Amino acid sequence: MAFSVVFHHDTTDPLAVISAPPPNESSHEQAAREERENEAQRISDLIDDEIRAERAVRKKEENTVKILLLGQSESGKSTTLKNFRMRFARDRWIEERASWRAVILLNLVRSANTILDALSQEMDDADPDELDDAFKFDDYYRQYKVRLNPLQAVESNLKCLLGATEDIQPRKQISPTTIAPSGSPEFFVRSRTWRNFLQATRGPDLSRHSFQQDLPTLLDSTDVIANGKDDIKAIWEDSRIQAMLWRRKTRLEDSAGFFLDSIDRLSARDYEPTDDDVLRARLRTLDIQEHELIVDDETDAPKWKIFDVGGSRTQRHAWLPYFDQVNAVIFLAPISCFDERLVEDPRVNRLEDSFILWKAICSSKLLSRTILVLFLNKMDILEEKIRHGVMVKRFLPSYGDRPNVTNDVVKYLRQKFKDTVRYCSPEPRVCHIYPTSVIDTKSMSVTLISVRDGILREHLKRADLF
């Protein structure tokens, strides 16, 4: 039997009238009504929570500057990111610097092994009746190969230590204008694997279990390098071997000379990496690298979130999702590569590929309001090539009869990139262009301050418009 419940309310209060339960409501009706009201309140609370969370995210995004580092593979993106971290996250940088020792030793050993591989190929391919005496290598050079054979095991051990997951064919110059994959494979590591390695080995405390496990491999590798350092220096400084490398168009990494010239320092048991060592160390990583930086000491200064995305052709499809709400793009164009070809497609000149990428970025409607910063990178290598007599117009016919001088080449290319911004952007905008050598820490420090100030100025100006 149902009982009616009679409620009394203040008839002078309009809100009480509206919120009052129906007259003569039964207990079952009251229970059903209260259940509906509780569910409605639960949904309302959820909506309020979502609104608060969305406001918090929006507020955080408003105080975050999102930066993309873009450019082809080996353009200098990772080194630029290192410069940012060295300048604006100094304490963390110093903590991680020692962890780069394994990478630096691997760079050194791989350079030595590349020379030895080229020497082996030269000996195997040699026809005594066709080669001049200047290019004949006798048993004297074979002794180097025997004595330095342990370097192969060192390279394998260091790769395992770093967590190499796969091999990629490196590039080999097969003609003055063509590069094709060949030779010993190149390794890479996953970004997460590298972050875990840094986390396990960073800082001055060498007593951690993980580092204690890695230390014997590092010391053993160092001892092998130290035992062979005189032979490594001998083959690196040998004029006949240098001539052979040039004739075979064997390409070493840009930093190979720096590390080979520093082998005495690097092969010491108490060796500690310097800033310059880490900047020049090459470690190819897959996936996206993301770093947050505080680039200004002011309390209300926005946080910078920098994304370093892969530059090889197979990785460029991953760029698009990061175009959303990006504040600035820093594009690395290595202008020293005017005489080089892509690994992925030897038909394409590397400088031409940079122009194609730059045009696509300038033309993108998603980036139409994005601040553009262009680094005309690897100025040091450009200067070296021109000093050795490489003629730009041979590889870049449009350069014409302009002087084969570094400043003139930079001026010409700067204008070409600037014209692309002018004619391809969906709407007018400013582009900040800097000739750079990202391994020059002194000049890069000044450049990064200028880049920071320019981006923050534009960011604040646009924030005031909304």
Side-chain angles (χ1 to χ4, degrees):
M1 179 178 179
F3 294 93
S4 297
V5 181
V6 179
F7 293 91
H8 299 281
H9 54 267
D10 186 356
T11 56
T12 63
D13 185 351
L15 292 179
V17 173
I18 294 172
S19 60
N24 302 320
E25 183 182 52
S26 69
S27 58
H28 291 303
E29 290 172 336
Q30 178 188 3
R33 175 180 56 79
E34 289 178 347
E35 184 177 353
R36 291 193 301 271
E37 289 175 351
N38 290 337
E39 177 63 15
Q41 185 62 48
R42 186 185 70 81
I43 294 174
S44 177
D45 290 342
L46 285 175
I47 294 174
D48 289 342
D49 290 341
E50 290 177 359
I51 291 173
R52 282 192 291 270
E54 186 177 338
R55 286 175 178 169
V57 170
R58 189 181 302 117
K59 184 176 181 181
K60 184 177 180 180
E61 288 179 349
E62 288 174 355
N63 204 38
T64 299
V65 177
K66 182 178 176 182
I67 311 290
L68 286 187
L69 290 176
L70 299 180
Q72 63 185 210
S73 181
E74 298 184 50
S75 59
K77 298 188 304 298
S78 297
T79 309
T80 299
L81 179 57
K82 290 177 188 176
N83 273 283
F84 269 109
R85 299 188 66 231
M86 184 171 62
R87 179 64 181 80
F88 298 114
R90 185 66 185 173
D91 292 342
R92 185 67 177 266
W93 169 267
I94 292 174
E95 283 185 351
E96 294 179 358
R97 196 166 53 191
S99 301
W100 283 86
R101 180 177 178 178
V103 180
I104 293 164
L105 293 180
L106 181 55
N107 282 201
L108 169 64
V109 170
R110 282 177 59 79
S111 296
N113 283 336
T114 298
I115 297 173
L116 292 171
D117 289 343
L119 182 58
S120 294
Q121 293 170 12
E122 181 74 11
M123 291 178 173
D124 292 341
D125 298 343
D127 185 340
D129 297 329
E130 295 181 2
L131 286 178
D132 296 334
D133 289 339
F135 292 121
K136 290 179 181 178
F137 291 94
D138 51 27
D139 290 340
Y140 171 76
Y141 289 94
R142 296 185 187 276
Q143 295 176 18
Y144 286 126
K145 285 179 48 56
V146 174
R147 292 198 296 265
L148 293 177
N149 188 59
L151 293 181
Q152 298 288 341
V154 171
E155 180 175 338
S156 297
N157 291 339
L158 290 173
K159 284 180 181 178
C160 291
L161 178 63
L162 293 170
T165 58
E166 190 175 332
D167 284 331
I168 297 175
Q169 287 295 330
R171 58 191 183 183
K172 176 186 177 184
Q173 193 98 25
I174 59 177
S175 77
T177 58
T178 304
I179 299 171
S182 182
S184 58
E186 180 181 357
F187 83 105
F188 67 84
V189 299
R190 297 282 177 185
S191 296
R192 179 177 296 180
T193 304
W194 173 238
R195 286 195 300 269
N196 291 341
F197 181 82
L198 287 177
Q199 185 65 30
T201 59
R202 67 187 177 94
D205 183 9
L206 304 184
S207 63
R208 288 188 301 276
H209 176 67
S210 58
F211 195 83
Q212 284 291 313
Q213 288 181 319
D214 297 339
L215 193 57
T217 300
L218 281 174
L219 293 179
D220 289 346
S221 299
T222 301
D223 289 344
V224 173
I225 296 171
N227 290 335
K229 68 178 181 179
D230 291 337
D231 285 338
I232 295 173
K233 285 193 291 185
I235 63 171
W236 171 239
E237 296 170 357
D238 191 298
S239 59
R240 293 180 64 192
I241 289 182
Q242 289 289 340
M244 179 269 294
L245 294 174
W246 179 87
R247 183 169 54 83
R248 296 185 68 90
K249 307 299 181 185
T250 301
R251 185 188 183 278
L252 297 171
E253 297 296 339
D254 295 339
S255 59
F258 176 82
F259 289 133
L260 289 167
D261 289 338
S262 305
I263 191 170
D264 287 329
R265 178 171 60 87
L266 271 54
S267 61
R269 270 198 156 221
D270 59 351
Y271 162 65
E272 294 182 3
T274 65
D275 287 345
D276 284 341
D277 294 341
V278 177
L279 279 179
R280 287 171 168 81
R282 182 171 182 270
L283 178 68
R284 181 169 182 173
T285 56
L286 289 188
D287 312 323
I288 308 300
Q289 292 195 66
E290 175 184 341
H291 290 275
E292 291 189 356
L293 300 174
I294 302 297
V295 300
D296 200 313
D297 293 333
E298 296 183 12
T299 55
D300 59 344
K303 180 185 299 182
W304 281 32
K305 187 175 288 187
I306 304 181
F307 297 86
D308 176 12
V309 298
S312 66
R313 283 192 165 186
T314 56
Q315 294 176 280
R316 293 175 190 175
H317 66 278
W319 291 9
L320 190 60
Y322 290 86
F323 285 5
D324 185 39
Q325 296 183 335
V326 63
N327 299 98
V329 167
I330 300 178
F331 185 84
L332 279 292
I335 57 177
S336 64
C337 64
F338 63 88
D339 60 343
E340 300 175 24
R341 298 272 168 171
L342 283 181
V343 176
E344 303 94 324
D345 187 351
R347 298 169 299 177
V348 179
N349 180 281
R350 285 191 65 196
L351 184 58
E352 177 189 356
D353 183 62
S354 282
F355 272 112
I356 292 171
L357 284 176
W358 180 243
K359 182 178 179 180
I361 290 168
C362 294
S363 304
S364 173
K365 292 183 179 180
L366 288 173
L367 300 175
S368 61
R369 296 184 57 79
T370 300
I371 303 165
L372 294 181
V373 179
L374 173 64
F375 286 178
L376 302 179
N377 195 34
K378 302 199 176 183
M379 284 283 296
D380 53 324
I381 301 176
L382 175 66
E383 291 177 358
E384 184 179 358
K385 286 184 176 181
I386 291 177
R387 186 169 62 251
H388 283 82
V390 180
M391 300 301 294
V392 174
K393 68 177 181 180
R394 178 187 173 192
F395 303 92
L396 195 65
S398 62
Y399 189 69
D401 294 327
R402 294 175 177 83
N404 202 62
V405 178
T406 301
N407 289 340
D408 292 271
V409 174
V410 173
K411 181 180 178 181
Y412 173 78
L413 294 176
R414 180 191 185 104
Q415 189 60 48
K416 288 293 183 183
F417 279 102
K418 194 173 181 180
D419 289 343
T420 303
V421 179
R422 178 182 176 186
Y423 295 117
C424 297
S425 294
E427 56 185 86
R429 59 175 156 188
V430 176
C431 174
H432 307 278
I433 303 177
Y434 301 88
T436 59
S437 174
V438 291
I439 59 172
D440 184 345
T441 56
K442 187 174 181 179
S443 66
M444 278 302 295
S445 180
V446 176
T447 298
L448 293 185
I449 294 296
S450 177
V451 169
R452 179 200 65 181
D453 293 346
I455 291 177
L456 289 179
R457 195 161 44 243
E458 286 293 322
H459 178 69
L460 294 175
K461 185 188 303 181
R462 296 180 184 185
D464 290 340
L465 297 177
F466 297 95

